[in-house]
Amino acid sequence: MKRLPSILLVVGLAGPALYAAAPATIVVGYTNTPVLPSGWRVHDIDRPQPVVVAPGGTTASPPSDAIVLFDGTGLDQWIGTKQDDPAKGRYNPEGRALWKVEKGYVECTESGAIRSRQAFGDCQLHIEWQTENPPRGDSQNRGNSGVFLMGLYEIQVLDGYKNRTYADGTTGSIYGQTPPMVNACRPPGDWQVYDIVFEAPRFEGDALVSPACATVFLNGVVVQHRTEILGPTSHKKLPVYRAHGKAPLVLQDHSNPTRFRNIWIRELDVDGKR
Ligand code: MG
């Protein structure tokens, strides 16, 4: 594969709130990061790009047993995270979610990530999102947000339409770990749909018994199939599990005005079924 010039600048993910990244300059991969079990480096610049697949055009309404987290009218199910420290299991119950709600969607306003009031474990999640059009920025700075399951495990949200970035950081990736099977992105300005089946990790005391895994559909196209999650999302580092219980869903503030709508979740319990 043709190697790009190794002018690799930093998109920072600093501090305990990994989803509160600062914007920076263009990055399309790295050559000096640790090696994953797959043999690829974290954010490997040479990891093959997902094949482009054109998705169909449907969305989904919540089924009768779903918990509706956002129906287009308000953020009463959400809390701002600026004073949270998820690495230590500390959450600020008083934080207000300051993202902008209008026209049936909620838009990131660079006021910090938001998290659900309710904590979840195994779940089915439906969430629709839209990146700005015309697009601005490149690579990780174009339409970046993220769906952090349990506040720790990121399914990347990014404008991945004709936007080169490292494969394990593109749309539908388990960020920093596993690229999507294909690139099923619609163009920026179109609504994109994630349907996710997530199995929480199991712990006994501090020991990991079974890792988390996720099945992800992007616009109706499977991009992850029961993919093992190697640990909490990290930037340029290998993930390391730490024991935890149920935790809120988090939507990342990556300083891009990404929009979300029609967010609903169904609690699952997959014990005995895996
Ligand atoms: Mg992200």
Side-chain angles (χ1 to χ4, degrees), residues 11 13 27-30 36 40-50 129 138-148 154-161 163-183 185 194 218 224 233-236 252 254 256:
V11 172
L13 276 168
V27 179
V28 295
Y30 296 88
L36 293 160
W40 295 103
R41 293 184 182 279
V42 177
H43 320 311
D44 199 314
I45 193 170
D46 289 328
R47 198 162 184 175
Q49 296 288 301
W129 52 273
D138 295 287
S139 186
Q140 292 291 299
N141 291 323
R142 184 181 296 189
N144 196 333
S145 182
V147 175
F148 275 74
E154 182 181 17
I155 310 299
Q156 174 70 303
V157 168
L158 191 79
D159 175 2
Y161 187 82
N163 176 30
R164 166 90 194 208
T165 191
Y166 41 83
D168 69 12
T170 196
T171 317
S173 63
I174 311 294
Y175 182 84
Q177 301 179 18
T178 308
M181 295 178 188
V182 296
N183 179 342
C185 290
Y194 270 153
L218 170 60
Q224 303 283 351
T233 297
S234 296
H235 182 60
K236 301 178 70 176
Q252 184 186 42
H254 204 286
N256 296 154

Side-chain angles (χ1 to χ4, degrees), residues 108-151:
C108 178
T109 57
E110 299 191 49
S111 57
I114 61 172
R115 65 172 172 84
S116 62
R117 289 186 181 276
Q118 189 169 339
F120 301 99
D122 304 336
C123 65
Q124 174 188 351
L125 174 68
H126 176 93
I127 187 166
E128 303 176 15
W129 52 273
Q130 180 192 62
T131 60
E132 64 180 334
N133 186 34
R136 288 186 294 174
D138 295 287
S139 186
Q140 292 291 299
N141 291 323
R142 184 181 296 189
N144 196 333
S145 182
V147 175
F148 275 74
L149 297 149
M150 307 190 91

Side-chain angles (χ1 to χ4, degrees), residues 6-273:
S6 55
I7 303 171
L8 304 176
L9 304 175
V10 173
V11 172
L13 276 168
L18 290 170
Y19 42 77
T25 33
I26 299 171
V27 179
V28 295
Y30 296 88
T31 59
N32 59 352
T33 43
V35 176
L36 293 160
S38 63
W40 295 103
R41 293 184 182 279
V42 177
H43 320 311
D44 199 314
I45 193 170
D46 289 328
R47 198 162 184 175
Q49 296 288 301
V51 173
V52 173
V53 170
T58 57
T59 58
S61 300
S64 59
D65 64 348
I67 298 166
V68 176
L69 295 177
F70 180 69
D71 66 359
T73 60
L75 288 174
D76 49 320
Q77 299 295 316
W78 297 85
I79 293 176
T81 64
K82 280 227 161 166
Q83 296 174 46
D84 283 357
D85 188 348
K88 296 180 180 175
R90 283 208 300 262
Y91 299 102
N92 167 31
E94 306 302 328
R96 288 182 54 213
L98 297 175
W99 290 17
K100 179 172 65 178
V101 177
E102 62 179 16
K103 301 176 184 174
Y105 60 76
V106 58
E107 180 178 301
C108 178
T109 57
E110 299 191 49
S111 57
I114 61 172
R115 65 172 172 84
S116 62
R117 289 186 181 276
Q118 189 169 339
F120 301 99
D122 304 336
C123 65
Q124 174 188 351
L125 174 68
H126 176 93
I127 187 166
E128 303 176 15
W129 52 273
Q130 180 192 62
T131 60
E132 64 180 334
N133 186 34
R136 288 186 294 174
D138 295 287
S139 186
Q140 292 291 299
N141 291 323
R142 184 181 296 189
N144 196 333
S145 182
V147 175
F148 275 74
L149 297 149
M150 307 190 91
L152 292 170
Y153 312 106
E154 182 181 17
I155 310 299
Q156 174 70 303
V157 168
L158 191 79
D159 175 2
Y161 187 82
K162 299 180 180 177
N163 176 30
R164 166 90 194 208
T165 191
Y166 41 83
D168 69 12
T170 196
T171 317
S173 63
I174 311 294
Y175 182 84
Q177 301 179 18
T178 308
M181 295 178 188
V182 296
N183 179 342
C185 290
R186 295 178 175 135
D190 284 12
W191 283 96
Q192 323 270 346
V193 182
Y194 270 153
D195 286 287
I196 299 168
V197 179
F198 174 73
E199 299 176 37
R202 265 54 172 179
F203 302 92
E204 283 183 7
D206 292 333
L208 178 70
V209 174
S210 58
C213 68
T215 297
V216 180
F217 291 83
L218 170 60
N219 298 324
V221 179
V222 65
V223 293
Q224 303 283 351
H225 177 223
R226 214 160 179 265
T227 304
E228 180 177 320
I229 296 176
L230 306 174
T233 297
S234 296
H235 182 60
K236 301 178 70 176
K237 296 177 183 173
L238 294 174
V240 179
Y241 271 110
R242 284 190 296 262
H244 63 85
K246 286 187 175 183
L249 176 70
V250 170
L251 300 181
Q252 184 186 42
D253 173 6
H254 204 286
S255 302
N256 296 154
T258 304
R259 297 169 177 173
F260 295 88
R261 72 178 185 187
N262 194 17
I263 308 172
W264 53 261
I265 194 166
R266 297 178 62 245
E267 295 186 283
L268 306 175
D269 183 356
V270 300
D271 276 344
K273 300 183 180 65

